[in-house]
Amino acid sequence: MQDKSVFFTQKHVVYLTAAFCCLLWGSAYPAIKMGYALLNITADDIPSQILFAGYRFTLAGLVLLALAAMTGKPLARMNRTQFGQLTLLGLTQTTIQYIFFYVGLSAVSGANGSIINATGTFFSVIMAHFIYKNDRISMNKLLGCLFGFAGVLIVNFNGSLMDFHFTLRGEGLVMLAAFILSATSIYGKRISQTMEPGVMTGYQLTIGGVVLTVVGFLCGGSLTGFDLTSVLLLAYMVLLSSMAFSLWSILLKYNRVGMVVPFNFLIPVSGTALSALLLKENIFQWKYAVALVLVCTGIYLVNRVKKIT
């Protein structure tokens, strides 16, 4: 079998895997909105939103740990420091980040949420510049991030450009969640250097998911309306989380942050398209077209490498 460190550093593998992860994450936006409807979760029922997230990530973490055990990966071989790091990662990347994300997404459309969440790429590239000596911001990266961020701003204007809609309860929380995910992804890259990425992701999702579940229950959350459709939807969300987070952790382990995270700009493309398809959201407005062109241009610019002659 080909060495993982070799396989996952091949440029075409990195690009295809990153794009696949972002397609999965893009599908999460309409999936969450559909889950709210199927499980009778209203926009102001924050405890139930947190509980819904808790179910999803606890199960996703357990799936990853079960797969790791079946493939012979050591689950208990960690010291106290590593366990503390996993706990911190789970509480920040899963618990705190997804409280903000689920609550914020309940107040915005799936299309808007997916585009606003792309600000995470901007945050990641900026932070990587100050943390990694081999991941400095170039002019291409700076322009790419500015293009992507401009797309996020445009989607919050109305059709006549006379009103900028931005609320802390909706767009603000989604953007804050993006920032937290960016910061914790860099922290997760550090942990993955001493631990198998699948095991690391499984533990952090389980820890964070259990805390979300407990918080949701203690705050009075409840989920009703479970039937075949809602169970299948939850199963899909569990699988997309376990698969996407595991693959993303592997990519970050073996590659520069600046090479991987710019693909986050693909999330709004898939999220917007799938929200229109599944939620019947109206995306046939000029602002969505301009925003998607800008974020796609951002991907190209950030990943463009100047040839050395």
Side-chain angles (χ1 to χ4, degrees):
M1 183 177 294
Q2 189 174 14
D3 191 314
K4 199 181 280 189
S5 63
V6 175
F7 180 74
F8 280 104
T9 55
Q10 298 178 47
K11 185 174 291 187
H12 70 281
V13 174
V14 174
Y15 289 177
L16 289 174
T17 305
F20 177 64
C21 289
C22 292
L23 175 63
L24 290 176
W25 276 321
S27 71
Y29 294 89
I32 292 171
K33 304 286 281 188
M34 292 168 66
Y36 287 162
L38 291 171
L39 298 174
N40 304 311
I41 302 174
T42 60
D44 59 350
D45 188 359
I46 294 177
S48 296
Q49 294 163 15
I50 295 173
L51 184 61
F52 182 33
Y55 278 23
R56 173 190 173 189
F57 294 111
T58 301
L59 292 172
L62 292 174
V63 166
L64 279 177
L65 292 177
L67 289 175
M70 287 189 291
T71 54
K73 294 182 176 65
L75 298 183
R77 193 181 301 170
M78 69 178 74
N79 54 42
R80 184 176 300 178
T81 299
Q82 288 176 319
F83 181 74
Q85 291 173 331
L86 286 174
T87 301
L88 178 60
L89 185 63
L91 291 176
T92 53
Q93 189 173 85
T94 298
T95 303
I96 296 175
Q97 190 247 142
Y98 278 105
I99 285 177
F100 292 145
F101 180 75
Y102 268 62
V103 174
L105 191 61
S106 69
V108 301
S109 69
N112 277 34
S114 63
I115 293 175
I116 293 168
N117 201 52
T119 53
T121 300
F122 178 82
F123 298 136
S124 293
V125 172
I126 295 296
M127 286 187 283
H129 170 80
F130 294 101
I131 296 174
Y132 303 113
K133 292 182 179 180
N134 67 338
D135 216 353
R136 300 301 190 188
I137 293 178
S138 63
M139 183 57 67
N140 281 339
K141 287 184 180 180
L142 179 60
L143 289 175
C145 288
L146 291 177
F147 270 98
F149 198 67
V152 173
L153 293 176
I154 285 175
V155 83
N156 287 290
F157 279 98
N158 65 4
S160 61
L161 288 179
M162 297 302 292
D163 178 43
F164 182 76
H165 180 77
F166 188 96
T167 65
L168 292 178
R169 167 68 170 74
E171 292 83 357
L173 288 183
V174 173
M175 187 174 290
L176 179 58
F179 173 78
I180 293 173
L181 179 59
S182 300
T184 54
S185 292
I186 292 176
Y187 181 60
K189 175 180 173 64
R190 175 186 171 187
I191 300 175
S192 70
Q193 305 306 309
T194 61
M195 186 177 299
E196 206 285 323
V199 175
M200 178 196 77
T201 306
Y203 272 118
Q204 75 92 354
L205 286 176
T206 303
I207 293 170
V210 168
V211 175
L212 281 169
T213 303
V214 171
V215 170
F217 270 125
L218 291 180
C219 292
S222 64
L223 301 181
T224 60
F226 275 110
D227 56 17
L228 180 60
T229 302
S230 57
V231 169
L232 288 176
L233 178 67
L234 180 60
Y236 170 74
M237 295 177 69
V238 167
L239 291 176
L240 85 84
S241 296
S242 56
M243 185 179 301
F245 274 108
S246 181
L247 290 172
W248 197 256
S249 296
I250 292 173
L251 291 179
L252 287 176
K253 178 182 177 71
Y254 296 118
N255 300 278
R256 293 179 292 104
V257 171
M259 182 181 181
V260 178
V261 296
F263 279 86
N264 279 325
F265 280 141
L266 284 176
I267 297 177
V269 178
S270 57
T272 300
L274 291 171
S275 293
L277 179 65
L278 300 174
L279 302 177
K280 310 303 180 185
E281 293 182 358
N282 178 23
I283 64 169
F284 295 104
Q285 302 177 44
W286 70 267
K287 66 178 183 179
Y288 288 115
V290 173
L292 292 177
V293 168
L294 286 172
V295 296
C296 289
T297 302
I299 294 174
Y300 171 75
L301 288 174
V302 173
N303 283 285
R304 184 182 179 190
V305 179
K306 185 177 181 180
K307 293 183 178 179
I308 301 176
T309 57

